[in-house]
Amino acid sequence: MGAQQTGLLRKPWFQLTLALVVVAALVVAPLLLPIPVNQTLARIGVFAVAVLGLNVIMGYTGQVSLGQIFFLGLGAYVTAYGVNSGWNIVLVFVATVLICGVAGLVVALAAARLGGLAIAMVTIALPIIGVPLAKRLSEFTGGSQGTSARFTSAPDWSGLADDQWQYYLVLAIGGVTFLLVHNLVRGKYGRAFRIVKENEAVAGAMGISPYRYKVLAFTIASMVGGVSGFLYMVVVQYTSPETLAFHHSISLLASMVVGGAGSIIGSLLGGVYYVLVPNFTNEVAPTLTSLIQGAILLLVLFVLPGGIASLPRALRRWTRRSGSTSTPGSTSTPGSTPTPGSTPAPAPGAPSEKEVSP
Amino acid sequence: MLEITDLTAHYGPVQVLHGVSLTVPEQGAVGILGANGAGKTTTLRAISGAVRAAGSIRFEGRDIRGRKPHEVAALGIAHVPEGRGTLGNLTVKENLHVGAYLRKDRAGIQADIEHLLQLFPNLQERYTANASALSGGEQQMLAVGRAYMARPKLLLLDEASLGLAPSTAKTVYDAIRVLREETGVAMLLVEQNANLAFTIVDTATVLETGRSVLSGTSAELKGRDEIRKAYLGGS
Amino acid sequence: MGTLLQLVVDGLALGSVYGAIALAIVLVNQSTGMINFAQGGMAVLSAYLAFTFLGLGVPLILAIVLSVAASFVLGAVIERFIMRRFMGGAEDTQVVVTVGLLTLLTGICGWLWSYNNLQFPSLFPSSAFTVLGAAISWRSFGTFLVIAGIMVLLQLLFQRTKLGLALRAVADNRQSASFAGLPVGRLLMVGWGLAAALGAVAGALVAPRLSLTPGMLDTTLVYALAAVILGGITSPVGVVVAAWLIGVLENLAAVYVPIIGHDLKIAVPFILLFVVLLLRPQGLFGRKTVVRV
Amino acid sequence: LSGCGRSDGGGGGGEGSEGVSASPGITDETLTLGVTTPLSGGTAGPGTCTVAGLAAYMGAANEAGGIEFGDGKTRTVEIEAFDDTYDPQKALSNFQQNNGNVFAFTSGLGTPTNRAYREAAIDSEVPQVLVQTGDPIFSDREESPWQLGFVPIYQNEGEAFGELLAGTDEDLTVAILSQNDDYGEGYVEGFKEAIAGSENIEVVSELTYEATDTSVDAQLTELAGSEADVFFNAMSITPLVISAIEKSRELGWSPSWFLPSNTSSPVAILDPAGADAEDGFYSVSFAKAPQSPAYAEDEDVVAFLENLEQYAAEYTTTPDFPHCMWSYMVGATLEEAFTTMTEPTRENFMEALRSIEDLQAPLMLEGTSVNTTEDGQPAVSTVVVQKYNGAGYETAESFE
Amino acid sequence: MAARLTLTDVNLRFGGVTVLKDVGFAVEPGTVLGLVGPNGAGKTSLFNCISGHYRPSSGSIRIDDAEISQTRPAGMSRHGLARTFQHPALQLESTVLDNVLLGGHTRLPGGPAQWALRLPPMVRSERALRAEALGRLDELGLGWAAHRGADELSHGLHKGVELCRALMARPQVLLLDEPAAGLSHGEVDSFIQTIHGLKAAGEITLVIVEHHMGVISALADRVVVLDHGSKLMEGTAAEAQSDPRVIEAYLGKDGKDSDGGAGDDAA
Ligand SMILES: Nc1ncnc2c1ncn2[C@@H]1O[C@H](COP(=O)(O)OP(=O)(O)OP(=O)(O)O)[C@@H](O)[C@H]1O
Ligand SMILES: Nc1ncnc2c1ncn2[C@@H]1O[C@H](COP(=O)(O)OP(=O)(O)OP(=O)(O)O)[C@@H](O)[C@H]1O
Ligand SMILES: [Mg+2]
Ligand SMILES: [Mg+2]
């Protein structure tokens, strides 16, 4: 059953139809749903974009970044500053993305020389230093009292309510961001990012400079982070130093992995996780949120170490395995985890056996 | 000593062994031949418990299928894995001591290490270097050396001559032969360099897509045309 | 001059706190190859355990010993039933699992012992003595000594003992280690157990100073990680020295470098880290690992 | 729950043309209050207290049959707490998710978190009252029509100390250590304003620290160098205050201490730090300290502790932070407003809340009271300066 | 004819260890150089120097007229250089096809913005590269594996995929590090055919490190023997195999014996 489903999933016409249905549903939904739901959906969009940015640098390029929240925060501050200074909103958006991009570039030029954990430690410094810095630069940031910018009340011509308008803004901007990143990681650059993640020496031999591609990925991630900051202001309309506290970076990281590292759908699921789990735990027991959230995180990963996005793959493997007759086989030592991968032909064979070539 | 019957194994959903049977007699040396992807490595890994398998694997009369690799090792089976099995962040010296982990005789360990270093002068030179700095061939020597340090009863060699210079390969095989004579260790070896393999094995089994399709003594096999063509290069 | 010396002394005391957690992180890393973000959380839990034993009327030193023992078991159990599942998987996932563990442990501590500040008694007298005009509290001095002692022990463990060698071998390549007969699973548990026990000592040492709360070591963890990277993750001595260095330099920078000041002093370890790593990617004392192609 | 169909923009719920139809969150039997506050994370200690006291108060009121409202109906009051982990975004989310079934938000801790949903609360006309932040904006009626702060604005507390000092004739030097945020800044600002005209008071050293710091030893070492007579301390982190007291003793510096209201508890801070009453520890307060032996027999305190035990056990039973007492007073203040509101609407509630004068809420110190009629001031704007006597605090008339 | 790849006096030291000492040779365009020597002689290190993964302590390395000894690996493709690795270094989580496509990275046009927008030229070039990669895989008999995960292939097959990946760069100079290690005899034969085919198809210059003397004699126009980091001799395969120094240092006393490397009659 699982296999048939996924077979269907691969067909282009099916994918297209599915995509259209999803888009249509997303467009119509806010007109029907209650306000809090729309607000939640919009917030999911914000953090999905933030997770997406993290995925670019970490999920795809393998550079552990604990600084992604800094770019969300920076983006939010730039947006707030621009709006409060009365700039045109398009200009605000462009400035937000550019400033975050430039900041990311500068950081990356230095940080990308490091690898592995070292880069994690250097990037974690961004939010950690960012918080006191934001307080110190209070002329721009409003200091520890934060700053609010309200520019997303629905215009009269639209006939929409604020929550709907904000939702559509997030949908449009976030959707385009997702599409662009999706395109980027499919072809030339996606492959390059992945090999930089896996083996820098090989990347070099393929004409891919690990350093330059890390800088590139970091810059793109920062720009996407900037977009998420802009969207944060669309939805939250207020920012303070707490926005970029480093433990949010860690939550983003957790959301990315729970959603599925190196996966576009995973980013979206990561956003869902980021927003809904606290809502859920608040419903269950507000005094035990930390405990429950930790348990949920462990539980999800225990069941799906590859993140929620790996569910179809896991299902496929599971159905296949229960279909096969002999002992379920898998490596027993922790050392080797065979990744399932897609295997069209039933039996592997040596190349000398021509019968296996399709 | 080792008796395998009807071994099957999967990687995830894919079955790669479809019934492998072979026997290694006490103090015997058996070779496994086969094309790339035939399942040679998988067979050895199944014996050491690194891959779960169905069928029967008996060692010295005991069923060892399903045991953990370290339990299998504790029974006296040492495995030289395919590719870089060395512990990269440990020095050559430390790698050898890890090999001797289950042994208690300090003096014997020291003597064996000295013996090995004589055998492989390269390792002598790089004795305190991290294994990851070694050349491909040197790492292979180290892997063989580490298995040797365990003083096993049965040695599983997966392409032990891979990447070794011809003279070194011969040294290794000479050493293995000496080891066998001295200690009576039995061995099961996978070797693409069949010419080299036949200098040491008594019998061999040919695998094709996960099945044993042929076995016989070295002499018999060497005499068969298809074997010569595919594995020996003799015309 | 007096102030300078005092700042150095303060820095060493603070650095010892960072060093304590850093050592536990090194221990886990050297024996399982992971970075454990939950190390601080585990140490806090251990401190709560000791606190609970105290509440039952057990003398302080015995309470600490009991909590160390319990923590060893707890660490081993966590490895076996949680971390084991993720061995050999993606590193990102492993890190996030430890993050999840941290969240869970913090939640458990908050639930069982509340978020209030609990007063944990110190092993050492709360008085101070003066050397060259610098006041040194017995508590800081004691912590300093214990950490230095553990550092030496760990260095010896890894470099001189068979257990240490086995732990490192398992962290390096589990498959090969198991082929050599190393009981991989058990060694992994021992690695986590030891780290948790060490964390328990650390927790008991720093709890009187930071006062016991579920998030007591959250900030410390960041510093400890910085020390781990700065010192070189393979070297217990390096890590502790780096922790002391961070403690001292951050104090000095806060007072003597106006643009940094007390509010931005947290930038100091990172600037230091960055500069050092550019010159020595393996950290101050770490062994260079060769990446060969 | 309240109409799921689309309504444009704000409010939700049934407030509308008829005027008297009830606001969301209130029925003839119950009224629901929302508290968004940190219940996990670094500020969970005081955060938990902001619910605990309120839960204790309302629990007792409900147990006694409920509160009789000004419209003649008797209602029980339910408290819904939401954890925002001190994250502004989550505070807003909690507000948005729940403003449809919560009558008013109250008692929550934190400046950024309260600010994050302030404007949304104004837009949707939901009361956000008696919140526990000293940020003055919440008491500015022009800017914050649906808000009201509870605790004195930070400036007020600082000012009280400043006035105490300004009242002496001695020449005194002052060292200042403050938290690097609006809390510390407001505190210092109030203090400095009060001493501005006094020639005899001189600030000789002034430093800050971060709320996330693990140590203030370096600051103490630097401040001790100034050998100031008075140490004005605007810290809100318990362990850091303890270690500051210890450190200054180690360094042989024994100034007089000014401690803020939220970090001066004898049991939680002064005892563990081994504070010597001889040094002179001053604090400001408007709440009785339940752990202080002086109040062991006090009626309010006894009732408070009992109620806490009985109705707030899921939050905390040990009032280590003054926020527990404050939220208890919030409960009393709300009750006062409820008894005078004549319509079950939020507007009417705001009106009632804004007309409380000189309410002596339980646990309040003599000389302080709840007063909600003055623009620009929170519900409590007076504090009493107290001095530590080795066991508890007693009111201090002057600085000595 | 000018040499395509020229090394002069290349030295490489790591701390106290000298890995390469004054190594120099030249490779003519379109020819195959066999690089042999005992384990640890420095063959792979020499490759690493040429491909930029190691920076020689001194000496010069040129491709045509360009000095490349200070160029980083990523810059080498501009000089038409590609290589394989002694220990196959594939991206195990991707498919075989994706691995092979990676080899053509530098041949794809456009920057990140163009790719993010999926402009038609990008789509076309990707499609063309894909077709080419599938063709290549078919040629090497690996077409059946194109959509498999790389981790599903055995060690020997990884070697083939690596070769395919290197070829996708359409290199002028190709460095192969023990391409036949771990191949059975029949597979070695087909590997030799593949290289012959390459040579016939166009001007590609090859340097091959191999312990398999059969491969060397079948393919190498010239042979350089390294020992302890220095060049021991240079000549034809036959000369090398009969050189007493080479026999002593490398092949072993009875080096001509067939067991040294599956016979020398493979051609
Ligand atoms: N992790 C894995 N996941 C899926 N399939 C695998 C995995 N490892 C090996 N295989 C497949 O199992 C089969 C047997 O592989 P094995 O490594 O045993 O071959 P081999 O005979 O040792 O080959 P070689 O001579 O190339 O080393 C091959 O077809 C291979 O593609
Ligand atoms: N990065 C490094 N650090 C330290 N030593 C190194 C490094 N790279 C190579 N070496 C040393 O240089 C010597 C030559 O290694 P190289 O890999 O070039 O040998 P090789 O000729 O390819 O041998 P093989 O045939 O075994 O692959 C070895 O002794 C190796 O230990
Ligand atoms: Mg194999
Ligand atoms: Mg080599």
Side-chain angles (χ1 to χ4, degrees), chain B residues 135-137 163, chain C residues 292-293, chain E residues 39-45 86 177-178 209 211:
Chain B
S135 83
Chain C
R292 289 217 41 181
V293 284
Chain E
N39 294 118
K43 306 177 293 295
T44 301
S45 301
Q86 179 168 1
D177 201 347
E178 303 200 14
V209 168
H211 289 304

Side-chain angles (χ1 to χ4, degrees), chain E residues 36-128:
Chain E
V36 299
N39 294 118
K43 306 177 293 295
T44 301
S45 301
L46 190 64
F47 267 23
N48 284 345
C49 287
I50 301 174
S51 69
H53 287 92
Y54 288 168
R55 198 164 281 193
S57 315
S58 68
S60 129
I61 303 174
R62 307 173 147 270
I63 288 184
D64 294 329
D65 285 329
E67 173 66 45
I68 58 163
S69 61
Q70 301 301 313
T71 309
R72 287 173 186 281
M76 293 301 176
S77 54
R78 258 183 289 124
H79 299 283
L81 186 91
R83 70 170 291 182
T84 65
F85 294 90
Q86 179 168 1
H87 190 84
L90 295 182
Q91 215 175 333
L92 293 178
E93 277 154 32
S94 304
T95 61
V96 167
L97 179 62
D98 267 344
N99 271 285
V100 174
L101 284 174
L102 192 61
H105 178 84
T106 50
R107 289 169 47 208
L108 291 172
Q114 280 110 311
W115 282 84
L117 293 169
R118 258 188 114 58
L119 299 181
M122 310 301 128
V123 179
R124 273 199 300 277
S125 65
E126 172 89 8
R127 217 173 277 151

Side-chain angles (χ1 to χ4, degrees), chain C:
Chain C
M1 185 59 217
T3 308
L4 178 72
L5 194 64
Q6 185 66 48
L7 287 172
V8 171
V9 168
D10 294 348
L12 287 176
L14 197 57
S16 299
V17 176
Y18 307 154
I21 300 303
L23 279 179
I25 293 175
V26 166
L27 186 48
V28 161
N29 181 268
Q30 288 296 285
S31 54
T32 61
M34 287 185 179
I35 291 289
N36 183 9
F37 273 69
Q39 202 73 63
M42 288 166 63
V44 172
L45 180 63
S46 306
Y48 274 113
L49 287 179
F51 184 85
T52 305
F53 291 132
L54 271 177
L56 297 175
V58 179
L60 177 60
I61 185 84
L62 189 62
I64 294 177
V65 170
L66 284 178
S67 117
V68 167
S71 302
F72 180 90
V73 175
L74 190 76
V77 166
I78 288 178
E79 195 288 321
R80 178 62 191 84
F81 293 102
I82 298 181
M83 301 316 297
R84 189 70 63 81
R85 170 96 168 97
F86 305 95
M87 279 284 159
E91 266 180 44
D92 304 356
T93 312
Q94 295 178 356
V95 168
V96 169
V97 170
T98 63
V99 168
L101 193 59
L102 173 64
T103 318
L104 178 68
L105 291 178
T106 309
I108 290 177
C109 291
W111 176 45
L112 293 179
W113 290 281
S114 87
Y115 285 93
N116 294 335
N117 300 286
L118 303 181
Q119 294 313 316
F120 193 94
S122 172
L123 262 183
F124 307 100
S126 64
S127 54
F129 58 96
T130 310
V131 179
L132 296 173
I136 303 172
S137 73
W138 282 106
R139 203 168 70 192
S140 302
F141 188 63
T143 308
F144 178 88
L145 284 187
V146 174
I147 296 306
I150 294 178
M151 161 188 97
V152 172
L153 282 182
L154 273 194
Q155 189 82 17
L156 289 179
L157 170 74
F158 283 127
Q159 299 306 330
R160 291 287 152 78
T161 67
K162 195 168 167 176
L163 175 64
L165 179 64
L167 290 174
R168 282 167 53 213
V170 167
D172 196 297
N173 185 331
R174 282 181 292 280
Q175 180 96 68
S176 292
S178 68
F179 283 166
L182 276 61
V184 173
R186 220 169 307 150
L187 286 167
L188 290 170
M189 287 167 72
V190 168
W192 271 74
L194 284 179
L198 170 53
V201 175
L205 285 176
V206 305
R209 183 191 168 98
L210 302 178
S211 105
L212 192 49
T213 56
M216 173 175 84
L217 290 172
D218 286 359
T219 312
T220 308
L221 181 75
V222 176
Y223 278 99
L225 284 170
V228 166
I229 308 291
L230 184 62
I233 199 158
T234 53
S235 160
V237 171
V239 160
V240 174
V241 172
W244 285 334
L245 194 67
I246 289 176
V248 171
L249 283 186
E250 103 174 320
N251 272 356
L252 295 182
V255 176
Y256 295 111
V257 186
I259 187 167
I260 290 180
H262 289 285
D263 58 335
L264 284 183
K265 72 176 177 183
I266 196 159
V268 171
F270 297 102
I271 297 169
L272 188 66
L273 191 67
F274 185 67
V275 173
V276 168
L277 289 183
L278 281 186
L279 304 175
R280 270 183 74 86
Q282 72 271 37
L284 285 175
F285 297 84
R287 259 173 306 140
K288 199 165 182 164
T289 50
V290 192
V291 186
R292 289 217 41 181
V293 284

Side-chain angles (χ1 to χ4, degrees), chain D residues 299-311:
Chain D
E299 240 173 77
D300 286 357
V301 168
V302 172
F304 166 67
L305 289 176
E306 256 172 31
N307 291 339
L308 207 57
E309 185 79 42
Q310 192 159 1
Y311 305 110

